[in-house]
Amino acid sequence: MSRGKILVTGGLGFIGSHTVVELHKAGYDVVIVDNLDNSRPQVAEAIHLTSGQRAAFYPCDIRDRAAFSNVLAEHPDIKGIIHFAAYKAVGESVDKPLKYYDNNINGLVELLKQMNEHGIRNMLFSSSCTVYGQPEKLPISENTPLQPAESPYGNTKKIGEDILRDATFTGSIRGVALRYFNPVGAHEKGLIGELPIGVPQNLVPFVTQTAAGLRDQLRVFGNDYPTEDGTAIRDYIHVVDLAKVHVKAMERMLDGEGPSYDIFNVGTGRGHSVLEVIQAFERVSGKSLPYAFADRRSGDVVEVYADATKAERELQWKAEKTIDDMMRDAWTFQQHILNKTHILNRNNNV
Ligand code: NAD
Ligand code: UD1
């Protein structure tokens, strides 16, 4: 028997698709709304092949008031919304700030209004550790002071949290913001994963594409940081662990537990340097990765890792997968895409 119906905005994207699979596994029915701006309709089938269940999929923009309202009217039994739909490229947000404020802020406001109109109470919001900048003290807890945003993208996450918090003060909505650290990896079956459009900006897709021969070499941004091996440190978290925390946080809201607004860090609590990531990749793939040191990337911070004990204590969730799992699964997915692209190209279908 179904445990209820959850709407997932951006459910064909990287984190959304993995979360839909975990919702299915936990016994929920899922409705996906995604405008395909950064995903492909084939992901719906890949989700089905991964979880064994189908989600109802609507190719719709959440800012399209009439179309989105129709979706909600068709599903009057939606119990909660997990909101992934947003733009996420930091560099692009500097060049096109209004595009980011329009989608990430107007999209959120529109969603909250529609929740009120359709009597939906519970909302999970995708925030980011970017709201902390480079903090003075590590690890970063939820009480660590926030820093001014370094990009319009980062600002949309900070403002988004404030909007959600204020909306919960009316009593009609309950909200949880999840501050993700660095989500990487893929489902172990290799059918869903991270498929950036164009040249990847983030480390792990660049690593796997380099190993696959699609890029000449990885540039390691900075080897003169004050860390043990000189490269910057992040808290990489496996996307399946990340997907699972959404199920836990939603269940807590559906059970009526917790405050009307809450925030959780979602990380492993462990930092890995860029060189450690490369070594893990080489270990699990058996391939040697061509890389060269380059200048620091502007805007990068030295070291970031989470204190994730609040989620462990209050949501009974803890990241389980290791950096080797993350690299192995990202590599499986990369190999899967290569094979698939080959087939699709042959059929002249891409
Ligand atoms: P993604 O781009 O893979 O997924 C977002 C999905 O939302 C895409 O499928 C896109 O087509 C869809 N979408 C965008 N705007 C939409 C709109 N107006 N209406 C309907 N659909 C829309 O990104 P992701 O990595 O899965 O990230 C999901 C969320 O998590 C985003 O809000 C992102 O800012 C946040 N986040 C991501 C990371 C990360 O490193 N991936 C880190 C911190 C926070
Ligand atoms: C990026 C975003 C951040 C977001 C986070 C979560 C930027 C500036 N920040 O963080 O807002 O919350 O993702 O996913 O984009 N690196 C290389 N070579 C590369 C790519 C990256 O050495 O080709 C290094 C970076 O310098 C960094 C580490 O790898 O030290 C991780 O980089 P990346 O994957 O881009 O994530 P963040 O910069 O941490």
Side-chain angles (χ1 to χ4, degrees), residues 9-17 33-40 58-64 83-89 102-104 107 125-130 153 156-157 178-184 193-195 202 239 242 246:
T9 75
L12 296 190
F14 172 44
I15 306 171
S17 55
V33 170
D34 195 304
N35 67 359
L36 300 171
D37 254 20
N38 199 31
S39 51
R40 292 169 175 216
Y58 295 85
C60 164
D61 192 300
I62 57 167
R63 292 162 296 176
D64 181 338
H83 179 41
F84 295 108
Y87 295 140
K88 62 166 182 176
D102 183 27
N103 200 21
N104 297 9
F125 173 67
S126 298
S127 188
S128 167
C129 69
T130 192
Y153 166 74
T156 67
K157 291 300 169 191
L178 297 173
R179 292 178 177 157
Y180 313 151
F181 280 63
N182 284 59
V184 298
E194 187 174 14
L195 189 51
N202 295 112
V239 65
L242 175 59
H246 291 81

Side-chain angles (χ1 to χ4, degrees), residues 88 90-91 128-130 151 153 180-183 200-204 206 218-222 225 232-234 236 274 297-301:
K88 62 166 182 176
V90 175
S128 167
C129 69
T130 192
S151 69
Y153 166 74
Y180 313 151
F181 280 63
N182 284 59
Q201 304 300 309
N202 295 112
L203 177 65
V204 175
F206 208 104
L218 171 77
R219 282 181 305 155
V220 175
F221 296 135
Y225 282 110
I233 291 177
R234 297 289 182 274
Y236 297 93
V274 177
R297 184 172 66 178
S298 121
D300 270 354
V301 294

Side-chain angles (χ1 to χ4, degrees), residues 281-342:
F281 179 81
E282 291 183 328
R283 200 158 49 233
V284 298
S285 68
K287 291 181 85 82
S288 137
L289 192 81
Y291 69 86
F293 293 116
D295 288 345
R296 292 180 181 195
R297 184 172 66 178
S298 121
D300 270 354
V301 294
V302 183
E303 183 169 15
V304 167
Y305 55 92
D307 173 345
T309 52
K310 181 178 173 192
E312 187 176 348
R313 214 170 42 244
E314 297 187 21
L315 301 176
Q316 289 75 53
W317 169 91
K318 194 173 190 298
E320 288 167 354
K321 293 183 184 278
T322 64
I323 192 79
D324 283 21
D325 296 329
M326 301 177 212
M327 294 306 119
R328 188 197 58 235
D329 295 338
W331 181 229
T332 304
F333 177 66
Q334 179 69 60
Q335 290 170 294
H336 179 84
I337 320 169
L338 281 183
N339 297 336
K340 197 150 177 210
T341 308
H342 178 64

